[in-house]
Amino acid sequence: MTDTTDTSFARPDARAVDQLRDIRFETGIAPHALGSVLVSFGKTRVICAASIDERVPGWMRAQKVEGGWMTAEYSMLPYSTLDRKQRDISRGKADGRTIEIQRLIGRSLRAVFDLKKLTGKTIWVDCDVLQADGGTRTASITGAYVAAQIAVQKLLADEKLEENPFTESVAAVSVGVFQGVPVLDLNYPEDKDATVDANIVMTGSGKFVEVQSSGEEATFSRQELDTLLELGEKGIREINLLQEAAIAEGLKP
Ligand code: UDP
């Protein structure tokens, strides 16, 4: 991967090319939500909270669709960015990026979830970025799964659900080409200068849910894409273990 004889390349925070940032989960951060976690990927920090609504969206009732629904909302708190970001409510509308990200989070969760087993309920997963330093969408997906799984486990314990609708876990990480070198889990200084930027969403069993890969005033080869996917897969395998530990911690009485 990296040419170890090349001493000119260094990541801004001195990580190895295939090294994740310090990833942490603080569960129970929002006690009124059934499941919650503050997930940190280095300086990127996102609050993810899962709440239960005892009804399904109007379109499901109208179309008599069986089961339940799970959806996500994403926002960057005004003070999460270097320059204050105006709240969507003050601007009067959500920007395109926000809509794209929240749909990605919802799709990622639903890919590993059997909605038929969530009869008559909606799970709302709110992801609010406390601090943005690159990779907020991938941190959101990773934390959203932890928050939602904790909420589901509590519903099961309270006999409000018969079976766990989650079929497996889901996590995400960013990868990209920075100064010509494929790297894992980009922070903002890397993301800003990356020529290729990709977000990988994978299940615990190693299946892809989504791969968003784009050249920024640049193109990329099949070989580079393969390297990026391998890096992403390695990172996600490590993240899966951390997610499992966080869920167990979050369910401790
Ligand atoms: N960013 C920002 N303001 C914005 C959008 C992005 O400061 O309105 C920064 C933030 O650090 C974010 C990074 O740019 O994490 C990369 O943004 P991108 O749209 O690629 O999404 P992300 O990598 O956070 O999923």
Side-chain angles (χ1 to χ4, degrees):
M1 207 166 299
T2 5
D3 178 2
T4 46
T5 57
D6 176 8
T7 50
S8 62
F9 176 79
R11 299 184 72 173
D13 59 2
R15 270 182 293 153
V17 288
D18 61 351
Q19 190 181 347
L20 293 166
R21 288 178 280 185
D22 185 21
I23 296 184
R24 286 167 196 266
F25 296 89
E26 188 184 333
T27 53
I29 190 81
H32 288 308
L34 195 57
S36 67
V37 67
L38 170 62
V39 56
S40 314
F41 278 49
K43 285 191 268 185
T44 286
R45 299 199 295 157
V46 186
I47 302 163
C48 303
S51 311
I52 313 297
D53 197 355
E54 294 293 341
R55 59 198 168 145
V56 293
W59 63 266
M60 280 185 80
R61 287 198 298 273
Q63 294 176 30
K64 298 196 167 41
V65 179
E66 280 177 32
W69 187 243
M70 175 154 57
T71 191
E73 291 197 355
Y74 165 98
S75 83
M76 297 179 100
L77 289 164
Y79 45 82
S80 66
T81 50
L82 289 173
D83 299 314
R84 183 179 188 273
K85 190 176 164 72
Q86 198 181 12
R87 288 182 198 270
D88 286 342
I89 192 77
S90 312
R91 289 194 324 132
K93 63 176 167 70
D95 63 24
R97 176 180 175 276
T98 298
I99 292 166
E100 179 195 326
I101 293 177
Q102 62 193 23
R103 292 184 66 199
L104 171 67
I105 301 167
R107 280 198 303 277
S108 301
L109 292 170
R110 291 191 299 271
V112 293
F113 196 85
D114 182 353
L115 289 168
K116 289 206 180 62
K117 293 184 179 159
L118 189 74
T119 323
K121 293 181 179 33
T122 298
I123 301 183
W124 288 90
V125 185
D126 290 290
C127 299
D128 289 285
V129 179
L130 190 58
Q131 191 174 351
D133 188 46
T136 61
R137 76 193 69 196
T138 46
S140 295
I141 292 165
T142 299
Y145 168 71
V146 170
Q149 180 65 268
I150 290 172
V152 161
Q153 299 276 350
K154 289 186 181 169
L155 288 176
L156 286 165
D158 290 349
E159 295 178 358
K160 289 181 177 157
L161 264 185
E162 282 178 17
E163 270 182 277
N164 191 331
F166 272 111
T167 51
E168 56 177 319
S169 67
V170 67
V173 76
S174 75
V175 287
V177 177
F178 172 67
Q179 293 181 359
V181 179
V183 295
L184 174 65
D185 189 20
L186 286 73
N187 61 17
Y188 184 60
E190 292 174 320
D191 187 285
K192 193 163 53 70
D193 288 340
T195 50
V196 183
D197 185 11
N199 295 297
I200 318 278
V201 187
M202 285 183 96
T203 69
S205 66
K207 296 253 173 55
F208 292 110
V209 177
E210 196 140 334
V211 176
Q212 302 183 326
S213 188
S214 39
E216 190 60 53
E217 295 174 42
T219 55
F220 53 96
S221 67
R222 172 60 183 268
Q223 201 191 343
E224 277 176 313
L225 179 60
D226 285 343
T227 306
L228 290 175
L229 292 176
E230 276 165 27
L231 279 173
E233 198 172 356
K234 173 187 181 281
I236 286 173
R237 274 201 303 268
E238 291 173 27
I239 294 170
N240 287 158
L241 298 175
L242 300 170
Q243 283 176 307
E244 265 175 46
I247 292 163
E249 185 65 34
L251 288 170
K252 273 193 190 153

